[in-house]
Amino acid sequence: MLRYWPILAVVAALLPFASSSQFLVNLAMLTAFSALLGQGWNIACGFGGLTSFGHAVFFGIGAYAVAIMQTRFGINPWLGLPAAAILGAAAGAVLGAAAFRAGLRGSYFALVTLAFAEVFRILANSLDITKGGLGILIPLHPSLPNFQFADRRGAYALVLVLLAVAMGIAAWLRRSRFGARLVAVRENEDAAAALGIPLVRTKTQALALSGAVTATAGVLYAQMFLYVDPNIAFGAERSVEMLLVAMIGGAGTVWGPVLGAIVLHLIQDTARMLIDTPGFAPMLYGAILLAIIAFLPNGIAGLRLPRRRSAREEVRRA
Amino acid sequence: MISLSILEAGLVNGLLTGGVYALVALGLTLIYGVLHIVNFAHGSLLMIAMFGGWMLVSWAHLDPYAALPLMVVIMFVIGWGLYAGVIGRISGGDDRRILLATLGVAIVLDNLALVLFTGDTRTIETPYQFAVVEAGPLLLSVPKLISFGVAIVLALLLWAFMALTDTGRAIRAVAREPDGARLVGIRPGRIFALSYGIGIACLGAAGCLLLPSFYVSPQVGNVFVLTAFTIVVLGGMGSFPGAVVGGLLIGVTESLGGLFLGESLGPIGISLVFILVLLFRPTGLFRAAR
Amino acid sequence: MTLRTTTRRSTLAAGAAAFAGLAMPAVLRAQPAGIKLGLIHPVTGPLAFSGNQCRIGGQMAIKDVNEAGGIKAMGGAKLEALLGDAQLKPELAASLVDQFAEAGAAGFTGCYASSLGLAATQAAAKYELPFSIDSGVADSLTSRGLANTFRLFPSASVCVNGAVDELEGLNKQAGGPVKTAVLVHENSEFGTTTANTLKEKLPGIGIKVLDVMAHATPTRDFTNVVLRIKEQKPDLVIISDYLNEYVLLIRTMVQQRVPSGIFSVFGGGFSLKFAKEQNEISEGVLDFNNWWNTKAPETAAFRKRLDAAGVATTYEVFFGYYAVKLLADAFERAGSADKKKVIPALAASTFYPDMLPYNPTKFANGQNEGAQGVGLQVQHADVKVVWPEKFADAKAVFPRAKG
C-alpha cells in the first residue's frame, strides 16, 4: 500500500486542475512552490549537509534577473528561466568555491551564506539597475507568451513541472555516483577525502546545481506576483522558509520537501483561517513546529513505514 | 567631501555604537562557544529583555539602570528555563534540531510579544536621555558612554568567571570535549542550560542599556541580531575579548562605511568584513577562551 | 479586540470547505447571508501596528453601517468582514483575495503596504471585484490601469506636491527664512520617491537642496547623519522615514543640538503619541501627512470611541474606516453588491469622508482627486493642522520655535 503513495501524491497534485476554485489552486500552487524552494535547498543542503541560511540569494538573483531582463531590455521572460538557472549556478559556484576552499563547514558556512544574501540585499537596495528600494514592477499583461497567467492553473502547472524536474534531480542524486559522493562527504569528510573524493569540487557542484534550481523558483515568483523588491527577493525570511520546509519534511530525501511543504502550509493556512487575533496564528505555528522537531527527529519523511534504508545507512554499508 | 572633524567624530561614534553591539554579542558568543549552534532566538530574547526593561521602567517606575540587575536575573531564569525545558528537551542534543528549535522559539516569542504589546513602537523618557559629554567639538551621548563601559566590565566579568570559577572551568570542559567532561562527572545537559542562561542574562543587561537611547517593538531584535553574529565570528566564537574588540571594529566599520558609501550602501561594509574574515581567518581574531 | 464584528464562522467554513476540495462557492452563496467584505492587512510582522489600525477602522465602519440599518437600497443587507493577515508577503495577500473571493466577498479593502496592495489589487482584478485601498501611497497602485481599484486617499505624489505648496506658502508668510535644506530619507520605495520629487521641486520655490542622504531600514545609529547635517547648517531638515528611524533621527538631532527646523513628509513617527509622550523632541516639528479634519463635528465623537476602546488615534484608523464606507456607499448607490454595478458606481462616486480634510470627491482612473494631505505641527504637546488654511486650527511657527 505505502509503496504506491507517490502515485497518490501525483494524483492529489493534479486534482486542483479539476476544480474551478482559484483559491484551492492557489493553495496548491503556493504549497508546490514551497516544495520547489525546499527541494532547491535540499539538493545541496540536504544531500550534501551544507546548511545554508542564505538561499534567498539564489531566489533573488532569479527574480531580479527576469525582472531586469524584461523591463530594461525587453527580453521575453521565458528566456529568464534558462538565464536565471545559469546565473544561479554561477552564484552557487562562486560562493561554493570561495567558502569550501576556505574550509568553511557547519555554522561557519551557514553564516557566510547569510552574509552573502545580505550583501545582495543591500546592493539591490542601493543600485540603479535594481531601482534600489523602489523595486521593480513588471507591467501587467497576462498572456502565455508573456509568461503571465490569467488563470492560476497555468502558474500551478508550471510550478509542478519545475518541482518535478527538481525532484528528478533529487532522485538522480540518490542513484548517481555524484549523489553517492555527495552523501559520503556529508557523512564524513575525512573518510570521503581518503576515498579520493574531491571535497571542494563535489560540494561546489552541488551548490551550483542547487542555486540553479532555486533561481528558477525566483523567476516563477517574479512572474506570478509581478513585483520584486530587495526584501522580497533577498530577505532572510525566504531562506528560513526553504530550510524549514526541507528540514521539517526530511532533509536528504526526495519526498521530504514535498511533505514538509504540505504539512507546514496546512498548519499555517489553517491556523490563519481559524484565528483572527493578530499574532496568535503564527504563535501556534511556532509551537507546532517545536512539537514536530521534538517528535519527528528525522523530519516527516522519517515517519515512513516500512523504513527503507536511508542514504545514511547505505553509505555505512558501502 | 568628508571633513577631518566628521571623520574623527565618525570614528568615536563608531566605537560607542560598537560598545552596544558588543553587549548583544557577548551572550551570543558564549552560547556559540559552548553549544556550537547559531542561536536564532537571540534577537527575540533581546526583544523580550527590552520589553521587560520597558515594563519595569514605565509600570514600576524604575530607572533603567536600576532595572538592570533585576532583568539580568529574570533573563537568566528565562534562558535557563528555555533551554532546560524546551530547546534541550526537544532537540535531544542534536545540533540540527537545536537550531530548528531556536528558530521555533523565535517565532513563538515574536508573536507572543505582538499579542501582549501590539506592534506599536515604545520609547522611555529619562532625565538624561539627551545628556552629553562635550569632548572638544564632539557631543558624546551619556547613555552610550555608560553602555560602552558596562560592555567592557561585563566582558571582564565573564572572562573571570570562565577562567577562575569551577563552574566556568566545567563550561569550558564541556565546550571542548562533552564526552570527556561526562567521564569526569560533569553533566553536559546542565552545563548547556547554564551557559544558555548566562548568555541570555547578558541580554538582560543589553536590553536595559539600550532603552534610554533606542526604541522597543516586537521586531527590534532583528535590528541587532545579524550584526551580533558578525561580531561573534569576527571576534572568534566563544571569546569574550573577541566579542568586545569585534563589536568595536564593526561599529567603526559601519560608521565609516556610512560616511564613505552613504547610509544606504554603508551597511554592506559589515557583511563584506564578515565574509572576508570567514574566508581568510575563519577562527576569528581571537581564539576562544577554552 | 473589543471591536470585533467578524463572522469568524464564515471564514472557518470557507477554509474547511476549501480543504475538503468541495464546490464551496456555490454552497456559501446559496446562504441568505449579508454582504461580505475582505479586509486584508499586515497584522503580524514589521507593519503589524499600522496594519491592525487599518483593520480596526474597517471593523468600526462595518459596525456603524450595520447599526444604521445596513445597506438600505438592498433591503437592509448587513456587511460582514472576512479578516486576512497578509504579514508582509505579497503572495499571501494575493492568496487571501482568492480565498475571500470564493467565500463570496463582494469587495476588498487593504492593504496598508504598497507591495501588498500591488499583489492584492491585481489578484482582485481577475475577479473584477472592487478594491478600496486604505493607505498604500504608491502612485503605481492606481496608475496601472486596473479598473477595479479605487483609492479615496491621496497618492504619494499628491502629498509631496502639497508639501511643496505648504513650504512655499509658510516660507513666504514668514518672510523667507528658509533658503537651504538637507533631505534625509529611508531608501525603500516611499522615501526614495518622496525625496526625488522634493529634490526636483524645492529649487523652484527658492530652497536650495544642500544634500540628500538615503539610509537603510533599520538604521541603528544616526549620529553620522546628524553630524553631516550639522556641518552643512541647513535652515531646514526634511525627513521621509518610517516610525522607528524617524524617532531615532529626531532624537539624535536634539541630542546633537542641531538648530535647523525639522519638516517631514510622511514622517512615519509623527503621531499624537509622539507629540504627547516625547514632547521634549517633538515640539515644533512640522510634518506633511495624512490626517483627519480636526474641525469636523464628527471627529471628536469618533476619537472618544477610539479612546474608549483603547485604540490609538492614528490616521490609519480613519483610512480603514472610510475605505469600507466608500464600498458601503457604492453598494447603496448601485442598489446591489454586484460587481458589474458597484464598479461603475465607485467610478462615479461623490462619497465624501466627513472626518477627512479633503476637497469634494471625484474619481479619475480610480484615484480620488479631492484627496490631499495636510500640514501639521506639534504645538504644546498636541498636533495642530497648520495648512491649508481651510482646515487649519492653528498658525504655523516656521521654521521652528528656537529654544
Side-chain angles (χ1 to χ4, degrees), chain B residues 1-6 9-11 13-14 17 21 111 114 118-127 129-132 134 137-144 211-217 219 222-225 227 254-256 258-260 262-265 267 270, chain C residues 1 43-50 52 85 87 185-188 213-232 243-245 247-248 250-258 271 273-274 276-282 310 312 314:
Chain B
M1 258 313 288
I2 293 156
S3 67
L4 200 64
S5 67
I6 287 264
L11 207 64
N13 181 42
T17 316
Y21 295 167
N111 289 288
L114 191 63
T118 77
D120 200 3
T121 296
R122 331 259 170 159
T123 48
I124 59 161
E125 301 279 301
T126 52
Q129 60 179 337
F130 299 116
V132 287
E134 294 192 31
L138 300 180
L139 302 176
L140 305 177
S141 151
V142 169
K144 275 191 183 161
L211 271 182
S213 54
F214 216 71
Y215 56 84
V216 200
S217 81
Q219 301 284 326
N222 300 334
V223 175
F224 290 96
V225 76
T227 313
E254 184 184 52
S255 180
L256 297 186
L259 280 179
F260 286 107
E263 297 291 329
S264 180
L265 192 58
I270 297 182
Chain C
M1 289 285 114
V43 296
T44 57
L47 297 182
F49 178 70
S50 303
N52 204 38
D85 174 17
Q87 294 167 17
H185 68 93
E186 61 86 37
N187 65 359
S188 88
M213 289 187 245
H215 65 81
T217 307
T219 288
R220 290 167 288 244
D221 181 66
F222 277 102
T223 318
N224 282 339
V225 170
V226 171
L227 289 175
R228 285 174 69 185
I229 293 174
K230 224 172 145 180
E231 203 179 45
Q232 308 193 57
L243 206 165
N244 297 331
E245 281 70 26
V247 173
L248 278 186
I250 295 184
R251 268 188 171 198
T252 314
M253 283 175 69
V254 172
Q255 184 185 58
Q256 296 290 326
R257 302 175 190 162
V258 175
S271 63
K273 196 175 105 172
F274 174 65
K276 214 165 282 160
E277 291 178 15
Q278 303 193 57
N279 191 242
E280 219 177 322
I281 63 168
S282 64
T314 67

Side-chain angles (χ1 to χ4, degrees), chain B residues 9 15 18 78 83 91 130 148 155 168 178 224 267-268:
Chain B
L15 285 173
I78 290 179
Y83 190 88
S91 62
F130 299 116
F148 184 87
F224 290 96
I268 208 169

Side-chain angles (χ1 to χ4, degrees), chain A residues 271-287:
Chain A
R272 223 185 358 251
M273 280 181 210
L274 299 186
I275 307 169
D276 285 334
T277 314
F280 272 113
M283 213 162 90
L284 184 69
Y285 169 72

Side-chain angles (χ1 to χ4, degrees), chain B residues 65-146:
Chain B
Y65 297 118
L68 191 147
L70 203 56
M71 275 320 292
V72 168
V73 174
I74 293 173
M75 290 311 290
F76 173 79
V77 174
I78 290 179
W80 183 82
L82 207 54
Y83 190 88
V86 183
I87 298 171
R89 181 159 297 185
I90 70 173
S91 62
D94 171 17
D95 284 1
R96 207 177 45 93
R97 287 164 72 206
I98 295 180
L99 182 137
L100 282 179
T102 60
L103 198 61
V105 167
I107 296 174
V108 173
L109 290 180
D110 285 358
N111 289 288
L112 181 69
L114 191 63
V115 169
L116 294 179
F117 302 107
T118 77
D120 200 3
T121 296
R122 331 259 170 159
T123 48
I124 59 161
E125 301 279 301
T126 52
Y128 44 79
Q129 60 179 337
F130 299 116
V132 287
V133 172
E134 294 192 31
L138 300 180
L139 302 176
L140 305 177
S141 151
V142 169
K144 275 191 183 161
L145 282 171
I146 294 176

